Amino acid sequence: MEYDLKRKKWDISNRKCLMVAKSIISDAIRGSIPDCDTAIEYLKKVESQFTGSSKAYVNSLIKKLFNEKYSGGGIREHILKMSNTASKLKPMDLGLNDEFLIYLVFASLPKEYETFVVNYNMQPDK
């Protein structure tokens, strides 16, 4: 008898959790996740859905770093934007070392900044 009461409470709680989880998730994501009997199973499927998308996010960040070109404006903002993009890779254990980031920044600069690059390369303590 006691088990039946607890099971009924659990069923009600589980159903409410599923309704809340499904109502919060956008329609595009919800459509790609199969229905489950328990909220725990549903949340695990949601988690597995986003594991693949984090790889796509890493891929887009790396492409952005390698294809980034200086488009005018402040050089400082350009360097900070590239540094910010590189810092987003660190939590995913893909952080770039500073020297490599510097060379990526130099590669993104136009010819008019060539003296800046040459002066940096001539420094003995680089």
Side-chain angles (χ1 to χ4, degrees):
M1 182 79 168
E2 185 178 337
Y3 172 78
D4 290 336
L5 290 174
K6 286 184 180 183
R7 176 67 184 195
K8 187 173 182 173
K9 282 184 180 181
W10 183 89
D11 285 338
I12 292 170
S13 297
N14 182 54
R15 196 171 42 244
K16 286 179 182 179
C17 288
L18 272 171
M19 286 190 314
V20 169
K22 288 180 180 180
S23 68
I24 292 174
I25 297 172
S26 71
D27 292 336
I29 297 170
R30 191 179 331 132
S32 65
I33 300 169
D35 284 334
C36 300
D37 293 332
T38 65
I40 293 172
E41 287 178 40
Y42 189 77
L43 292 176
K44 285 182 181 178
K45 294 203 182 210
V46 170
E47 181 184 18
S48 68
Q49 179 77 17
F50 284 101
T51 302
S53 64
S54 68
K55 293 176 185 175
Y57 181 62
V58 167
N59 189 22
S60 68
L61 287 175
I62 290 173
K63 283 182 180 178
K64 185 176 179 182
L65 271 175
F66 281 94
N67 295 327
E68 185 76 32
K69 296 293 177 199
Y70 178 68
S71 60
I75 190 76
R76 181 177 187 270
E77 286 80 17
H78 174 70
I79 293 170
L80 287 174
K81 185 166 77 169
M82 288 189 75
S83 176
N84 184 31
T85 303
S87 70
K88 291 177 183 176
L89 292 169
K90 287 183 182 178
M92 299 172 212
D93 296 329
L94 293 170
L96 302 175
N97 64 18
D98 292 337
E99 291 82 18
F100 187 65
L101 181 59
I102 289 169
Y103 286 108
L104 285 176
V105 169
F106 287 158
S108 69
L109 296 176
K111 293 278 185 194
E112 61 194 52
Y113 289 96
E114 194 170 309
T115 56
F116 177 66
V117 175
V118 169
N119 284 337
Y120 176 80
N121 288 333
M122 297 301 289
Q123 292 179 1
D125 60 341
K126 63 175 180 156

